[in-house]
């Protein structure tokens, strides 16, 4: 009985399942289209919200400067967020089927970096401005209420923003990171196989 087994040769002969490039390109296209739709939807929703807020200002003519400042801060928060968020549109839009694997990978790294900037710096600023604007806006109307009602209204606003900040935001960030990391890992795997 021969006990000399050549493990190196056996190891080299093994074939690992290679990622299907067509399936990966389909996932990339789906990822791109989902994000383009999301950008368009967020633009529509935030612009519509800004127009509604401007209409409320025009229709109800607030008296206090704090209310007007609150409206301006809320609209400004949405506009600044949209300006930064829309910079991702061209990154997604330029991804097409004619690129090489390394170009796909570079675009995915760029998207990941931009997403991180949006998830940290821009969302932090957005939530701070939004909360400040809402508090300033509500002051004129809550000052006419009883103390208990006043506290309840501010507590409800704080709870809603806290729920979005501590529950929805991290869940959304995690989901976005899993998608982009999954694509990056697959394209890195393909690039490594091509180098070998």
């Amino acid at each position: 009985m021969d006990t000399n087994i050549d493990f190196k040769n056996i190891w080299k002969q093994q074939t690992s399942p290679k990622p299907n490039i067509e399936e990966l390109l389909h996932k990339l296209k789906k990822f791109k289209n989902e994000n383009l739709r999301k950008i368009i939807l967020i633009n529509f929703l935030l612009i519509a919200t800004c127009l509604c807020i401007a209409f409320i200002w025009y229709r109800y003519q607030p008296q206090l400067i704090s209310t007007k400042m609150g409206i301006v801060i809320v609209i400004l928060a949405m506009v600044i967020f949209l300006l930064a968020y829309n910079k991702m549109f061209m990154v997604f839009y330029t991804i097409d089927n004619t690129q090489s694997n390394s170009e796909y990978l570079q675009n995915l790294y760029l998207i990941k970096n931009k997403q991180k900037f949006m998830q940290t710096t821009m969302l932090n600023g957005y939530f701070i401005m939004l909360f400040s604007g809402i508090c300033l806006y509500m002051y004129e109307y809550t000052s006419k209420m009883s103390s208990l009602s006043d506290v309840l209204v501010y507590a409800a606003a704080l709870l809603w923003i806290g729920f979005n900040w501590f529950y929805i935001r991290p869940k959304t960030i995690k989901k976005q990171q899993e998608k982009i990391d999954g694509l990056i890992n697959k394209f890195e795997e393909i690039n490594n196989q091509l180098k070998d």
Side-chain angles (χ1 to χ4, degrees):
M1 183 190 248
D2 187 16
T3 56
N4 294 333
I5 300 171
D6 188 0
F7 285 110
K8 281 185 181 180
N9 196 20
I10 292 172
W11 183 257
K12 286 179 184 177
Q13 291 175 359
Q14 280 188 333
T15 57
S16 62
K18 293 181 175 35
N20 182 345
I21 190 71
E22 293 302 320
E23 183 181 321
L24 187 56
L25 289 175
H26 177 70
K27 283 183 181 179
L28 181 65
K29 185 177 179 182
K30 184 179 174 189
F31 176 75
K32 169 189 167 179
N33 290 338
E34 282 175 3
N35 281 283
L36 287 174
R37 279 193 300 272
K38 191 186 301 181
I39 290 170
I40 291 166
L41 179 65
I42 288 174
N43 270 278
F44 174 75
L45 291 174
L46 289 183
I47 290 169
T49 304
C50 287
L51 292 174
C52 286
I53 293 170
F55 175 75
I56 289 169
W57 184 349
Y58 172 76
R59 176 72 174 90
Y60 294 103
Q61 295 294 312
Q63 302 302 310
L64 297 180
I65 191 76
S66 63
T67 311
K68 295 171 186 174
M69 284 174 46
I71 291 171
V72 169
I73 290 170
V74 167
I75 291 175
L76 191 60
M78 292 180 194
V79 168
I80 290 170
F81 182 81
L82 277 179
L83 289 174
Y85 194 60
N86 284 333
K87 289 183 179 179
M88 293 185 70
F89 183 85
M90 283 314 291
V91 178
F92 284 112
Y93 189 74
T94 56
I95 296 174
D96 61 23
N97 291 341
T98 62
Q99 295 176 324
S100 68
N101 287 340
S102 59
E103 288 172 322
Y104 286 134
L105 199 51
Q106 290 306 313
N107 280 329
L108 290 172
Y109 287 138
L110 181 62
I111 289 168
K112 184 174 180 164
N113 289 336
K114 286 186 179 289
Q115 274 185 347
K116 188 171 185 167
F117 173 73
M118 290 301 299
Q119 293 163 349
T120 55
T121 307
M122 291 310 299
L123 269 182
N124 292 344
Y126 177 73
F127 271 96
I128 290 167
M129 289 178 75
L130 194 63
F131 182 67
S132 303
I134 288 171
C135 288
L136 285 170
Y137 175 79
M138 291 190 317
Y139 176 74
E140 180 175 341
Y141 305 106
T142 56
S143 64
K144 298 173 185 172
M145 298 178 180
S146 68
S147 295
L148 180 61
S149 299
D150 189 15
V151 169
L152 287 174
V153 167
Y154 276 102
L158 185 62
L159 280 172
W160 177 246
I161 289 176
F163 173 73
N164 280 286
W165 181 259
F166 293 109
Y167 180 72
I168 298 202
R169 185 184 68 91
K171 199 172 180 178
T172 304
I173 289 171
K174 184 180 177 188
K175 191 175 173 183
Q176 287 176 342
Q177 286 176 339
E178 285 173 355
K179 282 184 179 179
I180 193 79
D181 287 343
L183 284 169
I184 286 172
N185 290 340
K186 296 281 188 190
F187 276 102
E188 281 178 343
E189 191 179 325
I190 287 174
N191 271 357
N192 291 336
Q193 287 175 359
L194 292 174
K195 287 176 187 175
D196 293 342

